Amino acid sequence: MRVHLDLNALPDDSGEDANDVKFDVAVAGAGEVGSQIDLNVELRLAIGCFTGEPSRQAVSLLPPAGVKEEQPAIESRTCRGSRNKIDGMPKKKAAASIAVDRISQLPDELLHHVLASLPVDEVVQTSALARRWRHLWKRMPVLRLVHPRRFASAVDYDKFVNHVIALRGDAPLVSCEIESHLTKDDYAGEPDEPDPNPYFDSWIQYALSCKVQVLKVVGDHVGGETQLALTFTSQHLVKLDVQHFFVDPDVLDFSSCPVLEDLKMQEAGFWVRKMSFPSLKRLCISECNFPADYRVCISAPRLVSLQLLDCQGKTPLLEGMPLLETASIDLSTGCEDKCGGCADQTCEGCRGYPVGAYQSVLLNSLSNAVNLELRDQPKVYIYKRDLESYPTFGRLKTLLLDMWCRAIDLHALVRILQHSPALEKLTLQLRSDERFLCAARGERKHVKIEESFACVHLKEVSIECEERLRVKDKVNQIVKILNRSGVLSEHISFKKIPRPKAYCIRAVSPSFFDPNWSGED
């Protein structure tokens, strides 16, 4: 085993506390520990001691340059300002000075902080550095079971993770990240294909049993979403981040996590009837799939912040959220609640339902928000139909509306302003769709609006238009409505915003899709 140790203890040049010392450490070696371990680790530490400020760190896996394999090299440089020349020391004194391993004398908390950013397979390798490091990784409060593609197969990854869990035992965890092995193709529906992640749920259960407070779970996003078959039960879990998974029981219930406050779900499938989050304060649901034939009910009575972004299927039905402060809703991608005027007697969007039968999906539950952002696409009718139930936004202070030039409903705009008496800032974003750049196409330019509103606190209005969007007449009409309702022209500003890249036509080489394309048949 070879070790290269480079220690710099440098006093702080910034004039801060003299106890703030920075160490540069490089360790590299190879040896036999049970099985062959190829150990090439370089740690660079910048540690602020006794200052109360968070330590800084950077980790690399490159071996130190200029070190020959067959010759161990040990270098040491003392503090700047009192730098001693080792060459001028007696040999015994110089050797004693060089042999001091000051990095291993640091407290466990600092070493754990440095190792926390590394995946577990690299952290385990540090046990070969010295006796001081042999069991250090087992007591770490952070566990990162990530980068499964470093292993030759899913079986090897499973064996390694299970062995790590067996050695680590039940030491408490503060943070844990678990990533499933990725399949190369979609194996769903093929009974002869083995499950690539048979231990996935057991790893999550292990983290929960270690009293983890922050948990991130990433399923398979290559072959297919990973099913979560377990019920989350924890008296300690505070923050949960789950990606690339699906659940299909009737109810997704987190009542067994009484202190869970922060939940983020991304690219997930919810084939459930109801989702219950009794203790949740912050919820983000992004790019997820909901059923197309019924609405999923979401219950989160203590929610303070909500993000519902770019989800597929029917828009979920929100129950009451009396503590809500901030909400951002984006129905511009994948929403199934569309209607272009089909006049079907059973269509929600064409008033086919009997009077009073329509239930507000979003706006009634969002009416307590202080900051609100609403985005949709031209044919989505959720906001328009919800406004017919006349929700009152008594606490609303900032409002952003994403409005499509071909489907700007000025009546709906006036209606929501009429029911926002405390509004202070209004932002209107006028956008085009892929085919229309002018509000004159597909609708009349001028729609006479006799109604007005009273927002005595509204002192800032920003009208943002996409580049190349020809909506001058529509903008003038909006300004007239605002002026007539008491909003002064000097409180209204205008801004150009870029057009989405998705609408731009680009010419790309076939090699963009096929890296092996050579241009020859």
Side-chain angles (χ1 to χ4, degrees), residues 28-42:
E32 291 283 341
V33 181
S35 60
Q36 182 66 29
I37 299 178
D38 180 14
L39 181 59
N40 292 292
V41 180
E42 177 180 350

Side-chain angles (χ1 to χ4, degrees), residues 400-419:
L400 184 148
L401 297 176
D402 194 43
M403 308 175 72
W404 297 79
C405 68
R406 196 164 48 94
I408 294 178
D409 189 341
L410 296 181
H411 290 285
L413 172 62
V414 173
R415 187 175 302 170
I416 194 172
L417 294 178
Q418 286 175 337
H419 294 84

Side-chain angles (χ1 to χ4, degrees), residues 164-184:
V164 166
I165 290 175
L167 291 175
R168 191 183 180 280
D170 58 355
L173 281 173
V174 174
S175 175
C176 181
E177 183 176 353
I178 303 174
E179 186 175 340
S180 69
H181 197 278
L182 307 180
T183 56
K184 294 182 180 179

